[in-house]
Amino acid sequence: MDLSSSTLCPQNLTKPYFISFHKQPHIRSHLQFQTPPKTLTLDPKFTITGGCKLSGHVPISGSKNSALSILAATLCCSGTSKLHGVPNLSDTRTMASILRSLGAEIEACNGEMWVNADGVGSVEPCPEDIGKIRGGFFVIGPLLARFGEAVVALPGGCDIGTRPVDLYIRGLRALGAIVELGDGKVRAQAANGRGLVGGRFKLDHPSVGATETLMMAACMADGVTVLSNVAKEPEVIDLARFLTGSGACVEGAGSDTLYIKGKNQLHGSECVVPPDRIEAGTFMLAAAITRSSISMSPVIPSHVACLIDKLLAAGCKITCAHDTLEVSAVPDDVGHNLQGFDVRTCPFPGFPTDLQPQTMVLLTTCDGSSIVEETVFENRMGHVRELQKLGARIRVCGSTAVICGKEKGSALLSSHVVAKDLRGGVSLVLAGLAAEGVTEISGIAHIDRGYENLDAKLRLLGADIKRLIPLASPL
Ligand code: UD1
């Protein structure tokens, strides 16, 4: 299917919504880091006619979470940083807006982004933008390291738990900052007007964001910093690679302990944002849920190793060649229905919490009953109610869910459901692909935060999914 030839069909007009194919004509669209037109701020919807088999190849975009932390790190650098493969998402656009609110200059085109933070003259980023995404809060580290001061509003992001910032605060204090929390803002200042100083800090929990924020702060602190019990996620390694390329001295990324020797100054550098492992995992699960066969690239197989193991155990066929991964769950290939499996989410290299809702959908289509235990976020079961509306038989007790497979009573049927957060929202899309009838999903702004052209990519694979955009009322 040639996406660029998709046109707006007048017969598809359904008031007060219209169906938009032309909004996303290319998989790699130009990055437009501007305020979207008013119509797009209204609540768009997806409608999905389930039952289509998927086939073909899908391109995987750059990692959202890596892009967000690397963008924050450009604040540490003098001169221009050039990033390739930045996904065009509302979250990356919000991050660009946060950097601009501080005085950084940004240009973006076709997945490339140039950031120059030489003109940064403020230490207080736009609080409204910080309130939209968790990653916005990460700028507290670079700002404090470079200017000795930062005032950052408490962050937003998906409503999946209390998501405190205590580890950030205690970690920054260990680097010599005076940090206070009040009026919804964190105010931090390097003690006695001097810069940060190297120190030792052990995280109670390997928080990804706290690890990244403290790593950025320590890169410009005076002396050596040792951070232990840190996150080992690939995104932490991506950030360390960017910082090292910019002149920082970071060792141990990917292990439990980071050793960082502070430098007075970092310089802009060039980097490629690695592929998004959660997007790849979502498409792998889409293939399994629809009993289809698709390939995708680029993928770093070790980043999705946990999911590969589970899908193999369920009965899928998976092949990897270089950076291309193929997943088949076609009955002719696998010969029987897929078998359910249990999942316990954990920090990397464990099963990613960001794939938990999508995996739950697959389990409703498998044989047997399965147990999903969420251990990273205390309130990440919000999608279950919506999946139940689609016919999923799931029982939740605290952070554990028991999922009945197909012959135990789950039967995905169409309904109108609402996306309440990013990954829970995309799980509804996957359920809609397998459900009988037409599923309508509202609240898809949550999904647009983290999936670049999701509907266009699914159409490329043969799915029947439409984006309905409300028409603005006449003034
Ligand atoms: C990042 C990812 C998110 C992913 C998560 C876990 C970004 C922008 N987001 O989120 O997609 O789901 O990692 O892989 O990179 N915690 C505290 N105190 C703190 C910090 C965290 O108690 O100061 C707790 C959180 O409430 C949560 C757990 O630690 O229960 C893990 O959170 P964390 O790893 O920090 O996730 P984020 O960095 O917010």
Side-chain angles (χ1 to χ4, degrees), residues 1-50:
M1 181 185 172
D2 176 12
L3 291 164
S4 59
S5 68
S6 299
T7 50
L8 183 67
C9 310
Q11 66 269 30
N12 285 335
L13 287 172
T14 54
K15 283 181 183 170
Y17 290 89
F18 68 88
I19 300 166
S20 169
F21 294 116
H22 73 306
K23 291 290 175 198
Q24 296 166 320
H26 304 291
I27 288 296
R28 276 253 176 244
S29 58
H30 285 253
L31 285 175
Q32 302 284 344
F33 286 85
Q34 294 163 354
T35 310
K38 207 173 176 186
T39 46
L40 296 183
T41 61
L42 300 174
D43 186 21
K45 294 178 182 181
F46 283 146
T47 59
I48 304 169
T49 305

Side-chain angles (χ1 to χ4, degrees), residues 64-65 68 134-135 138 160 162-168 205-210 212 233 277 353-354 376-378 380 423:
K64 168 181 85 82
N65 288 346
L68 292 178
R134 181 77 176 172
F138 302 172
I160 50 182
T162 48
R163 305 185 83 176
V165 290
D166 56 313
L167 294 174
Y168 298 68
H205 173 89
S207 153
V208 176
E212 293 176 342
E233 267 68 2
R277 63 193 172 102
T353 174
D354 284 355
V376 179
F377 292 106
E378 73 276 16
R380 199 167 207 177
R423 309 300 173 186

